[in-house]
Structure formats: C-alpha cells, structure tokens
Amino acid sequence: MNKKLKFIIVLAVEFIAVVTIILLIFFAGKKVYTITFDINGGVLISGSLEQHVTQGQSATPPQVTKDGCYFLEWEGKYQRVTKDAVIKAIWEYETTEGIEYNIIENSNYCTIKSCYKDLVGDVYIGAYFGEYKVLGIETGAFKDCTNVTNVFLLDGILNIDDSAFEGCTSLESIIIPDTVVRIGNNVFKDCSQLTDVIIGNSVKSLGNEVFSGCSNLKEIIIPISVEKMGYSVFTNNIDLVINCEIEEQPDGWDELWCMDNSNIVWNYKTIDDTVDEESSK
C-alpha cells in the first residue's frame, strides 16, 4: 500500500472519530422521550407503536389500516419531539353507498336527506360528503330500513331529526357522537332488536317516544347534559335499566317520560368516574 493511500485512510479514520465525538457531545444531556401511536381501533401493518426518540428528533409513523375506513391523519406532534406524547390515528368512514344528501345553500354544510331502503348490514356515515361537512340526519332518513344492523357515525353531526331510524327492526347498535345536541321524536321507535346504545355527552334534548318499542334494550345511560325529555321516551321497555347521571328528575323532563316499570338509577356513576373520585382524595 503506497504512502498516499495510507495517508487518506488515516485522515478518513480521524474524520469519523471527530464526527463521532461531535455527535456524542451534541446529544449528551439530551432527553429521550416516548412517543406512543394510538391506532384508534385500527390494525398495525408495519412499524412500531411505541418509539423512544431523542429530544429534537422525529418519530416515524407506523403503517395502519381499519376496515370500513380510510386513514385521515395523525392527531398530535411527533416531529422534533420535546415531550412524551400519545399520537392518535384519525379515521374517516368510507360512507356506505345509497345515502342521499341535501346541500345547504351558500354553505359548506349538508344533511342526510334519505337513503335506499334496501340497505343491508352495517351502515357507515362519514363526517363529510365531498367538501361538505355533514351536520345532521333529516326526518325519516333511514325510516323502515329493516335490514340495517349497525350504524356508525363520525363526530360532527349536531341533530338527529324525527323518525330518523324509526322501524329499523334489525338495528342492533348505535353510538351517538358527542357532537350531537338534539335527538328528535320517535328516532328509534320500534327498533325491536336494538340492544346497545351510547348517548353522547352533549345531548341536551330527547324527543317524544325516542326509544318506544325497543323491547330488547336492557340498559342505557342518560348523560348529565340532557335538559329536556319528551313523553314516553321509554315505553314497552319493561326490563330496561335506566342509569341517569343527574341526581334527580329535572324540570325540563316530561312527567311521563318513562311509562314502564323500568329500574331508574339516579346519580349514576361509571367505573371511570368512581376511580377518578378515589384518586382525587
């Protein structure tokens, strides 16, 4: 090996050593943070859900998927990390075909007007129709869709109008998003197979006969947000346990809101509420 080549090798080794020392000095004392990716009901395809990242560096989002949805975005900061963080996957439903919309004039909003009555199985309703934000479900939009089994709604809807799901005799479950403020009259009337309902924590008004004829409904939680309750909200629900988060019946509730001998629990607290109270003592 000639002297020139040896000299080049020595310089390269010295350069690498200097760079390594500089990097060690640069990163010395920098903290390492944990970034956790919450896939929010999705499935991991590749990558890591928990990553340890040096201060100022960035985490690498994993590849994820979810049936009936497409990935919208990661909620939270994972670039140039300065603290521990949980980064949540935000999904958008691939809206079921056969739903018709009513676009609100001179706005970026729309409502669900109606649907094909031969819809079968699970129905997914996304937060957007093209560029239009979905704000509500109009009167009778899904009425008598007797083959719909489950309905999935994304946040954003404010109102569910009268008889929206009345007569959906195969409907088994629905979660009312926390954005919903009003549920109209007869919305779930005669949904005889309905067993699982979660009412969002922003609902202020339940109309007349909302759950009348939901004979398979065994338990439900009425959130503390509900200020108005119509008449016969629950009728023909004789085995139903109604858990009310409020301490006593508000003035805005109709005296005949519950027409059956249902078991009504006032000042109901979830397990999470109980744990929070104990931890605060």
Side-chain angles (χ1 to χ4, degrees), residues 20 28 31 36 38-39 54 105 110 112 145 147 161 163 172 174 183 189 225 229:
T20 301
K31 295 182 178 180
T36 304
D38 176 1
I39 58 179
T54 302
E105 189 175 357
C110 67
I112 294 174
C145 289
N147 294 314
D161 288 337
S163 302
E172 298 173 358
I174 187 168
I183 299 175
K189 186 176 182 179
S225 60
M229 185 90 78

Side-chain angles (χ1 to χ4, degrees), residues 211-232:
F211 296 103
S212 175
C214 297
S215 53
N216 272 298
L217 191 60
K218 303 302 180 186
E219 187 172 16
I220 193 168
I221 298 174
I222 306 299
I224 197 170
S225 60
V226 176
E227 300 171 352
K228 292 183 63 178
M229 185 90 78
Y231 64 80
S232 300

Side-chain angles (χ1 to χ4, degrees), residues 15 25-26 66 85 91 95 99 103 117 129 132 153 162 164 176 182 185 195 229 236 239-241 243 270 279-280:
F15 176 78
I25 293 172
F26 179 76
K66 186 176 181 179
W91 302 97
T95 301
I99 296 175
I103 296 173
K117 298 305 179 184
F129 170 57
Y132 297 97
L153 305 172
D162 298 352
I176 309 299
R182 176 184 170 274
N185 301 324
T195 57
M229 185 90 78
N236 297 322
D239 296 323
L240 177 64
V241 177
N243 299 305
T270 64
S279 63
S280 65

